[in-house]
Amino acid sequence: MKSYQIITFGCQMNEHDSEVISGMLAQRGYTETEENPDIVIINTCSIRENADKRFFGTLGQLKKVKIANPDFAVCVCGCMMQQEHITTKLRQSYPWVDVIFGTHNIHEFPDMLEEMFEKRAAEGEWTVKQVRSSKEFRVDRIYEDRAEIVEGLPARRLFRHKSFVNIMYGCNNFCTYCIVPYTRGREKSRHPEDILDEVRGLVADGVKEVTLLGQNVNSYKGKTKIDEKTWDFTDLIYALNDIDGLERIRFMTSHPKDLSDRLIEAFAKCEKLCNYIHLPVQAGSSNVLKRMNRKYTREQYLELVRKLREAVPGIAISTDIIVGFPGETEEEFEETLSLAKEVCYDSAFTFLYSPRKGTPAAEYVDQIPEETKHVRFNRLVDIMNEGSKSRNAAFVGRVCRVLVDGPDKKESGILNGRTEEFKLVDFEGPEELIGQIVDVEITASNTFSLRGRMV
Ligand code: SAH
Ligand code: SF4
Ligand code: F3S
């Protein structure tokens, strides 16, 4: 049977889609490998510029593999396939790509792959010339959007003890810099019963922690199948909290504009909901937020942080920030710095603004020079790191519950795990503990992780 390798770029959505692709292929008898696979699948991301460059670079490399071995198959999918200028380029200049599918038809991939192999088999022997212009064997199917959700697809999880669970797909927010609403389509929520069934199944299979995924989980609206009642995100959290055997619930991402008081209260009331929230602010200036179409102000965001910390003392907060959004003045940027100092985040993902074709902000005339973006970026990172360092230092001396993920990649005898606050902890221990929750006393801290001793 043939072997495959999946190369994944992008966010947790894409990682989870790759787990589903892997699950479907495994179900049909294909095996996963990292060495000389017969099939390579590249799951792409469109969020920032260098992703495109890496993608086309990887394809160039794969052409060489294909010339050496005409049986080799190159498949591409993910967010970039939902962008017309990308698929046009692929179709015209990359004839050695065999299967092209998008974010709305992942479930069709195994059939598409087999269809391609059948077409090829019908042609008999392959020649290098055919490889160079193999488009005629290509199976290429992309949908713009899809209203229904395909349920019941298998997934091959990366970890035995924890899992991603999609609760919704797509995004309706159209932040002016962002490509996601174009690549993932309109927002659709799964039925609550389907989510609960999936989580019960995962727990029966050894899962202790689930991370609920959606571009904006706070706008989840799932209709029950029996009486068509609408559940919101907090209803779902309470129901999940009642599942026996499940130990931890996380979610991402939460849009500040829809973060409700009821959800904040749920952090205090649901013991399984971890004391951690990823709350992307994007910018510290209300003016910039307005131009980004984020629908909240600096003051409203700070008020949310205050409420969260009041209701859940010790809650860890992380964020995403974009530096150099079109028209961002020095004063507006300094408002981002002052917000970062004021909030003192546990961790942050900071990005240089990258114009995305088809989004409104890419057309704004006042783009910021790269040089200025870089200087601002470095200033921000310094502040963010100071924040993380001081938040981490406060953990020293505390005993934390740590879910053990696996052995450290560099140091033998050392295990890695996460606290409820999503802090990475290294400590000495036997590998039998992987997948268990253990008590670890924190003995030292630095900017990105903690060190501890099992108690
Ligand atoms: N749905 C999530 C974000 C998904 S994209 C949310 O709303 O928070 C992840 C992050 O990528 C965003 O939070 C943003 O900070 C960053 N990002 C998105 N588009 C970008 C762009 N054009 N340039 C730079 N960063 C971008
Ligand atoms: Fe993009 Fe905004 Fe939707 Fe997040 S909420 S995916 S940043 S459009
Ligand atoms: Fe990238 Fe698509 Fe995720 S653009 S960040 S993989 S939703």
Side-chain angles (χ1 to χ4, degrees), residues 403-422:
L403 176 56
V404 187
D405 285 332
D408 191 82
K409 288 202 179 75
K410 291 185 206 128
E411 233 176 309
S412 84
I414 299 294
L415 300 174
N416 296 149
R418 296 269 178 184
T419 70
E420 251 200 76
E421 296 81 3
F422 207 59

Side-chain angles (χ1 to χ4, degrees), residues 47-48 177 215 253 280 282 294 320 322 351-352 354 356:
I47 205 86
R48 280 170 296 272
Y177 51 81
Q215 294 299 344
T253 298
Q282 312 298 359
R294 290 291 288 181
D320 291 346
I322 297 176
F351 306 107
L352 295 167
S354 160
R356 305 286 71 209

Side-chain angles (χ1 to χ4, degrees), residues 11 46-49 171 173 175 177-180 214-216 253-256 278-280 282 294 319-323 349 351-356 359:
C11 64
S46 318
I47 205 86
R48 280 170 296 272
E49 213 167 358
C171 181
N173 294 311
C175 302
Y177 51 81
C178 185
I179 196 72
V180 173
Q215 294 299 344
N216 173 11
T253 298
S254 212
H255 195 306
H278 183 62
L279 196 62
Q282 312 298 359
R294 290 291 288 181
T319 201
D320 291 346
I321 295 186
I322 297 176
V323 171
F349 297 96
F351 306 107
L352 295 167
Y353 169 72
S354 160
R356 305 286 71 209
T359 62

Side-chain angles (χ1 to χ4, degrees), residues 55 98 115 117 146 161 192 235 268 376 386-387 394 415-416 453-454:
F55 171 59
D98 300 280
E115 189 185 327
F117 282 131
R146 174 186 292 266
H161 58 275
D235 298 328
R376 288 183 186 168
E386 267 171 45
L415 300 174
N416 296 149
R453 177 189 327 113
M454 242 170 69

